[in-house]
Amino acid sequence: MNSRITANLGLGQLSLVEAAKERGKNIRRVRKFQSILISVLRALLLGGLCFIILYPVIQQVLLGLRAPIDANDPSVVWVPKNWSFQNFRLAMLVLDYWNALLNTFKLSAISMVLQVASTALAGYAFSRLKFKGSEILFIFVILTIVIPPQALSLAQYLYFRDLGLIGSENAIYLMSGLGQGIRSGIFIYIFRSFFKGLPKELEEAAQVDGASVFRIFWNVMLPNARGAIITVGLFAFVWQWNDTYYASIFNISTEAFPILTMRLVNAAENVYAALFYSGALSLIGQDVWSNPMFLATISNVAALLMMLPLLVMYLFVQKQFVESIERTGIVG
């Protein structure tokens, strides 16, 4: 019930309307204060979580910007006393950075395309082309996920040695193209689950129009699998980028074809050679370049340079990646 009582100004009494307005102002003030308090708490919580996640990266960046003469200074914890990019320059020399970056990108990109093509075809076959023994074959695919790759390394090495592919990146391309690349079993499982979730009416309509199996796969099924393609493609690219196991087995990284991961593994051993050939050996001094802390710093900066392209790439594709993960999960 709305009531309105006028005030008696002579007696200095508030009317009911003014009291209601004052009460409304107090409520809005309290709500505004609560909203600000919640925003501050949320910002503090998110800031703390971001700091925990980014702590190693921040530490590596500040460590890399420290001058080599501060490598053994215990008073330098976060902010360097002497700022320098020398650690980054030395790490790039150790990695043979631009050549190794180009080769690693080429290896990862071609491997990714071959992995997506082979595993998508296998996933479609296991989901829609039923034949005798298909379930047993799929169990073997699942076993490739469970069995550690070390159990197959000797057989794979002998096989590719007989083909004359040891010391060549073609071994990785052949494995990826035949559905035996890094974690291809998981990719086949993702595509199989995705294609099983698509309506059969799409396929049946294409069959009525006289389309062949491969044309149905290429023109009907594959365009609808954008989410699965992005998910598999990104995982295949990143896992190949960070691979050291197959690169060492097949001896892919050579002087003519350096790749980042293998150069990083041998970073500490290559520091002396890099300093010697760059002429920085006499400038830094033996007490610095023989210091384990300095060698560890160069290794850490080299690792930071190696993952930098992946971080930049993620900034551009994070939206598509999250959407593809969500889409794959819903349909699968």
Side-chain angles (χ1 to χ4, degrees):
M1 179 179 68
N2 294 325
S3 61
R4 183 182 184 87
I5 300 175
T6 57
N8 189 340
L9 298 177
L11 298 175
Q13 294 176 343
L14 294 174
S15 66
L16 184 58
V17 175
E18 290 177 345
K21 287 182 178 177
E22 189 66 24
R23 197 163 49 248
K25 287 182 180 177
N26 290 334
I27 292 173
R28 286 195 293 273
R29 198 176 296 122
V30 170
R31 287 178 178 173
K32 187 175 182 180
F33 175 76
Q34 289 176 343
S35 174
I36 293 173
L37 183 62
I38 291 173
S39 299
V40 171
L41 291 176
R42 187 186 299 133
L44 289 175
L45 179 63
L46 292 176
L49 290 174
C50 289
F51 178 75
I52 293 172
I53 296 171
L54 295 176
Y55 170 77
V57 178
I58 297 172
Q59 190 182 39
Q60 296 303 319
V61 172
L62 292 176
L63 195 64
L65 293 174
R66 184 187 303 180
I69 57 174
D70 292 341
N72 243 4
D73 191 346
S75 63
V76 180
V77 179
W78 281 100
V79 181
K81 283 184 180 177
N82 301 292
W83 295 83
S84 172
F85 285 99
Q86 197 164 13
N87 292 328
F88 283 91
R89 286 194 288 268
L90 291 174
M92 292 177 78
L93 282 172
V94 169
L95 292 177
D96 190 7
Y97 189 65
W98 297 113
N99 288 330
L101 179 66
L102 182 63
N103 293 333
T104 306
F105 183 83
K106 173 189 170 188
L107 181 67
S108 302
I110 295 177
S111 172
M112 176 192 71
V113 173
L114 293 173
Q115 285 245 65
V116 170
S118 61
T119 56
L121 196 58
Y124 173 68
F126 281 118
S127 65
R128 293 302 173 90
L129 306 179
K130 296 300 179 185
F131 55 91
K132 192 174 183 180
S134 62
E135 296 298 329
I136 297 175
L137 285 178
F138 187 67
I139 291 174
F140 284 118
V141 172
I142 299 298
L143 285 178
T144 62
I145 303 174
V146 178
I147 296 174
Q150 290 82 359
L152 307 173
S153 60
L154 178 59
Q156 288 174 330
Y157 175 81
L158 295 175
Y159 177 73
F160 286 108
R161 186 197 63 179
D162 294 339
L163 293 177
L165 295 178
I166 299 299
S168 169
E169 71 272 18
N170 291 330
I172 296 292
Y173 300 152
L174 185 61
M175 286 180 59
S176 302
L178 296 178
Q180 290 296 313
I182 301 173
R183 299 179 177 88
S184 286
I186 298 176
F187 300 153
I188 293 173
Y189 181 81
I190 290 174
F191 274 117
R192 177 180 179 269
S193 301
F194 192 89
F195 287 132
K196 283 186 73 174
L198 292 178
K200 289 186 177 179
E201 287 75 10
L202 288 173
E203 197 173 8
E204 292 171 354
Q207 288 174 344
V208 170
D209 291 339
S212 63
V213 173
F214 184 78
R215 188 169 182 184
I216 292 172
F217 166 74
W218 183 257
N219 291 343
V220 178
M221 307 300 279
L222 206 56
N224 288 293
R226 182 171 173 267
I229 290 172
I230 293 175
T231 303
V232 170
L234 286 175
F235 278 127
F237 187 89
V238 172
W239 286 340
Q240 183 60 57
W241 185 280
N242 295 322
D243 173 60
T244 57
Y245 180 72
Y246 289 106
S248 60
I249 287 179
F250 301 137
N251 194 24
I252 292 172
S253 183
T254 59
E255 287 296 325
F257 191 82
I259 60 174
L260 287 174
T261 50
M262 298 310 295
R263 299 287 297 187
L264 177 62
V265 169
N266 302 317
E269 289 78 8
N270 294 333
V271 169
Y272 180 82
L275 290 171
F276 179 79
Y277 288 113
S278 64
L281 195 61
S282 58
L283 299 176
I284 293 178
Q286 183 177 358
D287 57 333
V288 173
W289 64 257
S290 60
N291 187 341
M293 288 295 295
F294 174 70
L295 298 177
T297 301
I298 296 299
S299 298
N300 289 335
V301 173
L304 185 66
L305 289 173
M306 179 186 157
M307 71 177 184
L308 189 60
L310 295 180
L311 292 177
V312 174
M313 184 185 73
Y314 181 73
L315 292 178
F316 288 99
V317 299
Q318 58 174 328
K319 183 180 178 182
Q320 291 83 357
F321 181 64
V322 173
E323 288 178 352
S324 64
I325 289 285
E326 184 183 30
R327 177 65 179 164
T328 304
I330 291 173
V331 176

